[in-house]
Amino acid sequence: MKKYLLITLACSTICCAQQKYITEQNTTLAKVVTVPIKKDTIRATVKTKPTVVPIDSKNDTNIILVKQEVTSTDWAKYALPILTLFLGIGINRLIDWITKRNATIRNGERWVVELRSTEVPLSQQMTDLIAFRDNLSFTELVIPEIKAMTNLNGDVFKSLDKNEFIKYIEIKNAKPLHKRIFDSKEEKEKAYKKVVSISNYTHGHIAIMEHQHNLISEKFKSYATGTSGHVQSFNNHLQEFLREYGMYNLNYEKEGVNIFEDERTSLLSVLYTAQIAPHIEDGAYNPFKLRDEFFIPSIRHLAHYRFEEKTLVLAKSITACLNDIAGIKMEVVYMTKNVNIILERYTELINYLPDVINDIIGEKE
């Protein structure tokens, strides 16, 4: 729109100048008084000064002849509109360049602001992960709550213009104009490769942050699913053990054995009464406690009677329960390792964040 206005203004100026010149010529011609040509024609040579030619001596009538000076073409009348046109175009181009440059700088500064704003959430996320890791237990069956900072998912950066970001890096890292105006092609390519490298490094930083955020949810979901599966399997195998233990005692009682006094069954009876019987109704068993205080002592005891057919089925059900408990423990181990790895990545992100920002804005510490 600006260009159309400037072109219209220039054309109007040229037309007005030409119209003014024609008007002046017409006015000059209008002032010339036409006189009838007489028979006695007077010839006079007009040089530089006006010449007085008498017409009628009686009436004292004279004609003053003046030589009109021939002037050259006034080129200024034509050059000025053209210069104005090109000046307007140049100013318009300059305004557009400044506008686009300012827009690029604003977009680039938004990238820097968003990167800086990740430092506090990263620190808070690390604090939450440490608390979660410390609540993971090898002695209690608990699944602690984990918090994932949603502003570390990288979505805000997906809405920003990557092309404008590259232009911003190029602006901030460019040498002064008087130093780069005579740069060779190789130097220009080297400078551009540096800009692309900074951009790629920044996007890598953001991608790692986004991946770690997704990894938290992924690993926690895997941990919770795996733990629930092992707990369900443990409950099934525990019910199987209780059935087999009842049959185990019944077989001995059929032989007239007192299960609380016979050395083959007395230890199991005492352990059962202390660890299993109190939670028969509520089912609030602690697998880790049962492992240490019931299943392991029981399996060691049954090992002494491994050649008796009665102990084989019972020992098998105990082994199945111990395998489930081991699975629960390994889920805790895996989750602890995963949290530690994520903490290492977040520590690196925080440590490298100042360097990433300094590279973007062209500042070196």
Side-chain angles (χ1 to χ4, degrees), residues 234 237-238 241 268 271 275-276 286-287 289-302 317-319 321-322 325:
F234 169 75
H237 288 139
L238 179 60
F241 165 77
L268 294 179
L271 294 174
Q275 303 297 332
I276 302 294
N286 181 349
K289 185 177 181 181
L290 287 180
R291 176 196 61 190
D292 298 334
E293 299 182 9
F294 181 78
F295 288 123
I296 291 179
S298 297
I299 203 71
R300 287 175 178 172
H301 174 73
L302 292 176
S317 62
I318 292 176
T319 302
C321 290
L322 288 174
I325 297 172

Side-chain angles (χ1 to χ4, degrees), residues 38-304:
K38 297 186 177 182
K39 294 180 179 180
D40 296 333
T41 302
I42 299 173
R43 293 180 180 181
T45 300
V46 180
K47 296 182 179 181
T48 57
K49 296 182 180 181
T51 302
V52 178
V53 180
I55 298 299
D56 190 351
S57 58
K58 294 181 180 181
N59 296 329
D60 195 16
T61 302
N62 299 322
I63 295 177
I64 300 175
L65 300 177
V66 181
K67 184 178 181 180
Q68 183 177 0
E69 295 181 359
V70 179
T71 59
S72 60
T73 303
D74 189 3
W75 293 106
K77 294 180 180 180
Y78 303 99
L80 183 60
I82 296 174
L83 291 175
T84 304
L85 174 62
F86 284 108
L87 181 61
I89 294 174
I91 293 175
N92 184 55
R93 294 283 181 87
L94 179 61
I95 292 174
D96 289 342
W97 180 80
I98 293 175
T99 301
K100 291 180 180 179
R101 180 184 173 89
N102 290 338
T104 298
I105 291 175
R106 286 195 299 270
N107 289 329
E109 289 176 345
R110 174 72 186 282
W111 278 84
V112 174
V113 169
E114 293 297 343
L115 283 170
R116 283 200 175 105
S117 67
T118 61
E119 183 175 3
V120 174
L122 283 172
S123 299
Q124 183 60 48
Q125 184 67 85
M126 291 183 65
T127 302
D128 294 339
L129 287 175
I130 292 172
F132 171 80
R133 182 191 62 188
D134 293 342
N135 287 330
L136 291 173
S137 176
F138 292 100
T139 59
E140 296 289 338
L141 181 58
V142 292
I143 300 180
E145 180 182 0
I146 193 171
K147 298 178 181 179
M149 305 295 291
T150 56
N151 47 357
L152 295 178
N153 58 10
D155 287 347
V156 66
F157 295 100
K158 296 177 182 178
S159 64
L160 301 181
D161 194 325
K162 294 182 179 180
N163 293 326
E164 290 294 313
F165 180 55
I166 291 181
K167 294 178 182 178
Y168 176 77
I169 298 174
E170 191 172 8
I171 291 173
K172 302 300 287 185
N173 286 268
K175 294 185 295 184
L177 180 60
H178 68 278
K179 291 185 178 181
R180 70 175 188 272
I181 193 170
F182 298 110
D183 282 352
S184 63
K185 183 179 180 180
E186 291 75 14
E187 290 175 329
K188 292 180 180 178
E189 289 180 354
K190 182 179 179 181
Y192 186 72
K193 287 180 180 179
K194 178 183 177 183
V195 170
V196 174
S197 176
I198 294 173
S199 175
N200 291 339
Y201 187 78
T202 304
H203 290 307
H205 178 92
I206 296 171
I208 293 174
M209 180 180 67
E210 179 182 354
H211 176 66
Q212 298 308 310
H213 174 271
N214 295 334
L215 204 60
I216 292 174
S217 301
E218 177 185 336
K219 295 303 180 182
F220 179 75
K221 182 178 180 180
S222 175
Y223 161 70
T225 303
T227 301
S228 298
H230 289 302
V231 170
Q232 182 63 40
S233 178
F234 169 75
N235 289 333
N236 294 335
H237 288 139
L238 179 60
Q239 295 302 318
E240 180 182 343
F241 165 77
L242 294 178
R243 289 194 300 270
E244 296 298 334
Y245 180 68
M247 295 300 299
Y248 177 79
N249 287 334
L250 182 61
N251 289 331
Y252 278 105
E253 288 178 344
K254 287 181 179 179
E255 297 176 2
V257 175
N258 187 337
I259 60 175
F260 291 99
E261 295 179 355
D262 191 278
E263 61 178 5
R264 294 170 296 179
T265 59
S266 60
L267 179 61
L268 294 179
S269 298
V270 172
L271 294 174
Y272 180 89
T273 302
Q275 303 297 332
I276 302 294
H279 300 290
I280 287 293
E281 294 184 0
D282 58 27
Y285 299 107
N286 181 349
F288 299 109
K289 185 177 181 181
L290 287 180
R291 176 196 61 190
D292 298 334
E293 299 182 9
F294 181 78
F295 288 123
I296 291 179
S298 297
I299 203 71
R300 287 175 178 172
H301 174 73
L302 292 176
H304 298 293

